[in-house]
Amino acid sequence: KQEVTQIPAALSVPEGENLVLNCSFTDSAIYNLQWFRQDPGKGLTSLLLIQSSQREQTSGRLNASLDKSSGRSTLYIAASQPGDSATYLCAVLTGANNLFFGTGTRLTVIP
Amino acid sequence: NAGVMQNPRHLVRRRGQEARLRCSPMKGHSHVYWYRQLPEEGLKFMVYLQKENIIDESGMPKERFSAEFPKEGPSILRIQQVVRGDSAAYFCASSAGPSPGNTIYFGEGSWLTVV
């Protein structure tokens, strides 16, 4: 059964720092991997989607990488801002039409 | 084009009552998914439906929970005789077709509190 783990569970950084969030999954038979952002009491906002055949995706200050064979993905956030404070969720899509989510990394960017 | 709409956004029920959560998918989407997020846990898949069909309910608790997506109207997640452990955020998502190949869009969630 697919299991998704995110490390660290929480992270506090001063504004302006670059940071990396980690995601690992146990079964490499995935179609894609997606990073989401969740604000308190809110829904999920999709940030980046990496197909299984891709190695990375970039959007603005965000860069996500995927190493399918080792079951790992990283989300790199450059020049962090207080508005980046949120919980970041990693999810992998399997052939069963459902997403397996990690428990998230709660990021706080301190002004 | 409105996104995935869920209502109510917040619902309080006493133990033993019924909870009904509604989800209107994005326009043109005929595939609906329900996920549950328990406190301090990740989202867990519950059920995947197409119009009038349950495709995969492997994540649904065997008792008290049911879901439907009728030909007309929203998808409904129904929880009978709620217990405190049902308190969670319930997220609906929709897509135009089966994934992969179709992006899944999430609603803003319905927060159920059982008192």
Side-chain angles (χ1 to χ4, degrees):
Chain A
K1 184 186 173 185
Q2 180 73 265
E3 291 185 9
V4 181
T5 304
Q6 291 187 247
I7 295 173
L11 180 64
S12 288
V13 299
E15 182 177 1
E17 268 204 10
N18 303 323
L19 59 102
V20 175
L21 307 181
N22 297 292
C23 172
S24 61
F25 47 96
T26 54
D27 185 347
S28 62
I30 64 170
Y31 283 98
N32 60 48
L33 182 145
Q34 203 161 353
W35 283 92
F36 293 88
R37 169 185 173 139
Q38 184 178 26
D39 292 282
K42 299 287 187 180
L44 279 67
T45 301
S46 179
L47 298 173
L48 289 165
L49 185 151
I50 312 176
Q51 300 293 348
S52 62
S53 59
Q54 297 176 321
R55 299 284 291 184
E56 66 176 343
Q57 282 286 337
T58 298
S59 176
R61 294 182 294 109
L62 305 180
N63 176 276
S65 68
L66 173 64
D67 185 342
K68 190 177 146 185
S69 60
S70 68
R72 293 181 183 176
S73 175
T74 61
L75 178 66
Y76 175 81
I77 303 177
S80 58
Q81 302 171 357
D84 294 333
S85 297
T87 296
Y88 289 82
L89 299 171
C90 164
V92 296
L93 180 69
T94 69
N97 279 298
N98 67 63
L99 289 163
F100 285 89
F101 282 84
T103 52
T105 294
R106 189 176 303 161
L107 173 65
T108 303
V109 180
I110 303 164
Chain B
N1 187 11
V4 179
M5 305 299 292
Q6 292 189 244
N7 68 83
R9 293 295 315 283
H10 298 274
L11 181 65
V12 178
R13 283 287 178 266
R14 296 187 184 280
R15 282 178 293 172
Q17 291 185 318
E18 178 179 287
R20 282 190 181 224
L21 309 177
R22 288 176 291 278
C23 170
S24 295
M26 286 182 69
K27 186 176 181 181
H29 285 192
S30 58
H31 297 246
V32 165
Y33 314 78
W34 285 94
Y35 286 79
R36 177 168 65 173
Q37 186 177 37
L38 293 165
E40 305 304 322
E41 294 189 19
L43 278 80
K44 295 286 197 294
F45 169 79
M46 298 182 76
V47 62
Y48 163 42
L49 311 103
Q50 293 180 37
K51 287 280 188 183
E52 300 184 280
N53 285 305
I54 297 175
I55 306 302
D56 181 355
E57 56 181 348
S58 58
M60 287 276 273
K62 292 291 184 281
E63 298 176 350
R64 301 187 298 107
F65 285 72
S66 62
E68 63 175 5
F69 188 18
K71 187 177 180 181
E72 301 289 338
S75 174
I76 307 285
L77 180 66
R78 181 183 180 202
I79 312 172
Q80 296 178 289
Q81 298 172 3
V82 296
V83 301
R84 288 227 171 101
D86 297 332
S87 295
Y90 292 83
F91 289 93
C92 173
S94 74
S95 62
S99 53
N102 289 279
T103 303
I104 299 173
Y105 296 86
F106 280 82
E108 296 229 316
S110 290
W111 268 257
L112 171 66
T113 302
V114 180
V115 297

